[in-house]
């Protein structure tokens, strides 16, 4: 019996001895506590933040949000719900619930409120981003840098990108149709006010990091410049055909170039009018001079792409600008054939389908001929002017074509707009393509990252540049993934995977500059890395 007691004692002693070195190693290699800064200043936390394993969410005590970030917080013990308010943003998170409410919309969570040792712990990144902060994690330093819109981070600071510069084209679409972005309707006929509005917009865009603007100079069969072919746009004075008293296009190009920004003239090629009425159209409008070219569809007037003379008219309109102005590029949007309603082009189909193509192929052939001829005309007149098109973000679904993208979009460029973008790329009829990938990384029917993968592969080795169109206008909506400005930043970071992606364009300027969910400071910080 005594031998057994001695043996048991020796075993225990041996176990203790074996554990000592392990304990010492653990002490020497233990992870340092996570530190937090806001605009470079330390944020105090009376309880160490921690990371939830596997999902890698950093949890902090509620005091960091109320005291460190200055937000208003309220904890409801009966429902175990925390409500956080700041700068017009409101969010509620409930213990054990995998969704939060952000500005009235339900948003999925990786981690919600936790109660640890009587302390209320909340996910820092989720809350920070919804308060308009950029959240930067430095793994080596175990530090989190929170950046607000008024702070310009030092690239040498940990977590700020190590000074790596964001490269490429950084564009914004400026919509003039229905006075969406510029000029304002209240500036009708007021040249100086319109000029001030435009330069103020340029300055704000440039301070955000934008280096190129894509301005809609032909919203609907009209012009934002003195033209021999089409009337002045009504969005300048309120009356189509009325002279605004200056050359808006010449002014805009000069102001953009003063700031070192590119200016791309954006044309809506086939839309003749935003409604079907003709009584307020100018005498030299295409619908008045060539009513046989016009098809009424969805209460709009559309120039029929199936009529060769009509296509040539549009090319002549574009070339007038190319020859007269020092533009950096010609840009077309995705309006070719309408994607809904009826489009009565039977007469043109019968008259101009010499090869007997099925109607869908004939329509695609019409658009192909237009793109090819326009590109050739631009390159012959001014090789320095780039020619690009911004198609719908899905060319074809994989279910319809095995070479298409892994998507389930309700409409596609090829089948709905009759835009065979692949042919344009492979034949180098265009210099760049800017697909409108207006969905988030969590929108399953048309997932952002899957589409970037597809488009990058499509342009690889062709010499055609790829710019990605981003949906700033969707931030704050209820569609999946748009409840935080970090969605845009994550998209930009994903683009960095591909050398084929030469830049980004944001739709649209007004939506960007309204700073939805704190997008402007997040974007500024990203471009300053």
């Amino acid at each position: 019996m005594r031998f057994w007691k001695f043996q048991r004692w020796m075993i225990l002693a041996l176990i203790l001895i074996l554990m000592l070195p392990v304990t010492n190693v653990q002490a020497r290699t233990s992870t340092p506590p996570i530190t937090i800064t806001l605009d470079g200043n330390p944020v105090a936390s009376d309880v160490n933040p921690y990371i939830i394993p596997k999902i890698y969410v950093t949890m902090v005590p509620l005091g960091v949000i109320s005291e460190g970030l200055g937000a208003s917080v309220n904890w409801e013990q009966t429902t175990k719900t925390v409500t956080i308010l700041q700068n017009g943003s409101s969010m509620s998170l409930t213990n054990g619930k995998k969704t939060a409410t952000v500005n009235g919309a339900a948003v999925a969570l990786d981690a919600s409120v936790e109660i640890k040792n009587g302390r209320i712990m909340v996910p820092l990144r989720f809350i920070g981003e919804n308060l308009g902060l950029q959240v930067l994690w430095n793994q080596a330093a175990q530090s989190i840098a929170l950046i607000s819109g008024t702070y310009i981070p030092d690239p040498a600071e940990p977590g700020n990108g190590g000074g790596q510069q964001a490269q490429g084209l950084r564009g914004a679409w400026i919509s003039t149709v229905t006075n969406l972005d510029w000029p304002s309707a209240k500036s009708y006929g007021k040249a100086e006010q319109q000029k001030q509005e435009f330069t103020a917009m340029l300055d704000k865009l440039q301070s955000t990091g934008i280096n190129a603007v894509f301005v809609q100079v032909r919203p609907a069969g009209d012009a934002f410049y003195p033209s021999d072919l089409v009337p002045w746009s009504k969005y300048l004075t309120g009356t189509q055909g009325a002279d605004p008293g200056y050359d808006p296009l010449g002014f805009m190009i000069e102001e953009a170039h003063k700031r070192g920004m590119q200016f791309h003239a954006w044309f809506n090629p086939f839309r003749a009018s935003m409604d079907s009425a003709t009584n307020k159209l100018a005498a030299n409008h295409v619908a008045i001079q060539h009513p046989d070219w016009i098809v009424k569809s969805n209460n709009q007037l559309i120039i029929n792409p199936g009529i060769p003379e009509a296509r040539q008219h549009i090319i002549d309109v574009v070339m007038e600008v190319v020859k007269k102005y020092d533009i950096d590029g010609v840009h077309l949007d995705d309006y070719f054939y309408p994607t809904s309603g009826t489009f009565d082009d039977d007469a043109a189909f019968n008259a101009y389908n010499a090869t007997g193509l099925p109607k869908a192929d004939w329509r695609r052939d019409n658009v192909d001929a237009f793109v090819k001829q326009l590109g050739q005309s631009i390159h012959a007149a001014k090789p320095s002017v780039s020619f690009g098109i911004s198609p719908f973000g899905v060319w074809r679904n994989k279910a319809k074509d095995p070479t298409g993208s892994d998507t389930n979009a309700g409409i596609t460029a090829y089948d709905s707009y009759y835009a065979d973008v692949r042919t344009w790329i492979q034949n180098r009829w265009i210099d760049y393509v800017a697909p409108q990938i207006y969905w988030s990384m969590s929108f399953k029917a048309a997932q952002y990252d899957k589409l970037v993968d597809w488009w990058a592969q499509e342009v690889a080795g062709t010499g055609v540049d790829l710019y990605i169109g981003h949906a700033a206008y969707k931030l704050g909506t209820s569609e999946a993934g748009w409840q935080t400005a970090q969605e845009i930043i994550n998209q930009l970071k994903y683009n960095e995977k591909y050398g084929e992606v030469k830049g980004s364009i944001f739709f649209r300027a007004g939506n960007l500059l309204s700073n939805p969910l704190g997008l402007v400071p997040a974007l500024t910080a990203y471009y300053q890395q």
Side-chain angles (χ1 to χ4, degrees):
M1 182 66 73
R2 275 186 288 179
F3 174 79
W4 165 243
K5 288 182 179 180
F6 175 79
Q7 186 183 48
R8 186 172 59 178
W9 180 87
M10 287 295 291
I11 292 171
L12 289 172
L14 181 61
I15 291 172
L16 288 171
I17 292 169
L18 290 172
M19 287 181 64
L20 284 174
V22 175
T23 305
N24 290 338
V25 170
Q26 286 177 335
R28 286 195 301 269
T29 61
S30 62
T31 304
I34 297 170
T35 60
I36 305 170
T37 61
L38 173 61
D39 291 347
N41 299 312
V43 174
S45 176
D46 58 344
V47 174
N48 285 338
Y50 60 86
I51 297 174
I52 300 177
K54 295 184 180 180
I55 61 174
Y56 305 105
V57 173
T58 304
M59 305 295 288
V60 298
L62 195 55
V64 167
I65 308 302
S66 60
E67 298 168 19
L69 307 188
S72 172
V73 303
N74 179 65
W75 172 252
E76 178 59 52
Q77 178 62 33
T78 56
T79 60
K80 293 183 171 51
T81 298
V82 61
T83 301
I84 301 167
L85 304 169
Q86 190 182 57
N87 297 331
S89 290
S90 169
M91 68 196 87
S92 296
L93 300 85
T94 302
N95 175 235
K97 194 172 181 180
K98 286 302 178 109
T99 58
T101 302
V102 179
N103 298 325
V107 182
L109 289 169
D110 290 322
S112 188
V113 179
E114 291 190 347
I115 302 173
K116 295 287 187 181
N117 299 322
R119 303 301 301 270
I120 302 164
M121 309 294 289
V122 293
L124 178 60
R125 178 178 292 277
F126 178 84
I127 292 172
E129 289 173 353
N130 280 285
L131 293 179
L133 302 173
Q134 188 180 17
V135 182
L136 301 174
W137 165 251
N138 186 305
Q139 174 69 28
Q142 291 286 293
S143 66
I144 296 172
L146 306 173
I147 300 173
S148 71
T150 59
Y151 178 67
I152 300 177
D154 181 351
E157 289 180 9
N160 288 343
Q164 181 181 1
Q165 296 296 313
Q167 300 296 323
L169 181 137
R170 307 187 294 273
W173 278 291
I174 297 178
S175 298
T176 60
V177 67
T178 66
N179 303 102
L180 283 173
D181 291 321
W182 179 85
S184 68
K186 64 183 180 183
S187 74
Y188 278 169
K190 301 174 183 176
E192 290 308 312
Q193 183 175 341
Q194 290 178 0
K195 291 179 180 180
Q196 291 170 5
E197 288 178 355
F198 188 78
T199 55
M201 180 183 295
L202 278 190
D203 289 339
K204 290 176 183 177
L205 288 170
Q206 188 173 43
S207 68
T208 304
I210 300 302
N211 62 17
V213 288
F214 294 73
V215 183
Q216 195 174 32
V217 301
R218 173 190 167 84
D222 51 7
F224 268 68
Y225 51 90
S227 172
D228 297 329
L229 302 174
V230 293
W232 282 107
S233 175
K234 72 175 182 178
Y235 302 120
L236 287 162
T237 62
T239 302
Q240 189 176 87
D243 190 333
Y246 74 114
D247 181 352
L249 178 54
F251 170 78
M252 292 187 291
I253 294 169
E254 181 180 0
E255 290 299 318
H257 287 172
K258 274 182 187 177
R259 292 161 175 78
M261 303 172 79
Q262 292 184 27
F263 186 96
H264 294 250
W266 164 19
F267 297 82
N268 185 297
F270 292 100
R271 185 168 62 200
S273 180
M274 287 292 288
D275 58 49
S276 59
T278 58
N279 59 322
K280 292 185 179 180
L281 298 178
N284 62 334
H285 189 273
V286 64
I288 301 299
Q289 293 192 333
H290 299 281
D292 53 315
W293 293 356
I294 303 301
V295 177
K296 291 183 181 180
S297 180
N298 297 322
N299 199 37
Q300 292 188 349
L301 302 181
I302 309 296
I303 300 173
N304 190 343
I307 300 176
E309 295 86 354
R311 296 197 300 266
Q312 185 60 52
H313 165 75
I314 299 168
I315 291 170
D316 292 342
V317 169
V318 174
M319 291 309 299
E320 183 182 38
V321 171
V322 172
K323 293 172 181 177
K324 283 185 178 180
Y325 292 94
D326 184 24
I327 58 174
D328 298 288
V330 167
H331 182 79
L332 304 185
D333 51 34
D334 58 353
Y335 286 87
F336 298 105
Y337 283 90
T339 61
S340 62
T342 59
F343 191 81
D344 185 5
D345 57 353
D346 287 347
F349 177 64
N350 293 328
Y352 299 106
N353 185 16
T355 57
L357 293 171
K359 180 174 275 192
D361 291 335
W362 173 76
R363 286 180 173 178
R364 276 185 287 273
D365 192 58
N366 294 331
V367 178
D368 285 351
F370 170 75
V371 170
K372 179 181 180 180
Q373 187 177 347
L374 178 56
Q376 290 174 339
S377 300
I378 293 168
H379 294 143
K382 281 188 182 177
S384 61
V385 173
S386 65
F387 173 41
I389 298 179
S390 178
F392 187 74
V394 177
W395 176 70
R396 296 194 90 184
N397 294 314
K398 200 170 187 177
K400 190 90 171 181
D401 185 323
T403 66
S405 53
D406 184 15
T407 51
N408 188 28
I411 61 175
T412 64
Y414 184 93
D415 297 294
S416 308
Y417 288 96
Y418 302 95
D420 187 4
V421 189
R422 170 176 283 171
T423 294
W424 311 343
I425 292 171
Q426 291 178 346
N427 287 285
R428 285 293 308 274
W429 294 342
I430 56 178
D431 298 305
Y432 70 84
V433 62
Q436 301 170 30
I437 308 183
Y438 289 170
W439 305 280
S440 72
M441 292 198 185
S442 52
F443 187 75
K444 299 305 180 185
Q447 202 163 300
Y448 177 88
D449 46 347
K450 290 182 178 181
L451 283 164
V452 172
D453 295 345
W454 189 89
W455 284 102
Q457 181 180 6
E458 201 67 19
V459 303
T462 65
V464 174
D465 289 336
L466 174 60
Y467 306 137
I468 303 298
H470 299 267
Y473 75 99
K474 281 193 176 179
L475 282 172
T477 65
S478 59
E479 186 177 295
W482 295 105
Q483 288 72 45
T484 168
Q486 188 65 25
E487 174 64 33
I488 293 285
I489 304 303
N490 290 343
Q491 291 181 1
L492 294 172
K493 290 179 178 178
Y494 191 83
N495 294 352
E496 294 173 9
K497 289 179 57 177
Y498 293 102
E500 290 81 6
V501 178
K502 305 298 185 183
S504 296
I505 314 175
F506 299 93
F507 189 81
R508 51 188 173 76
N511 298 107
L512 193 161
L513 294 178
S514 66
N515 193 29
L517 305 181
L519 174 61
V520 168
L523 196 59
T524 304
Y526 174 81
Y527 281 139
Q528 288 172 344
Q529 291 179 27

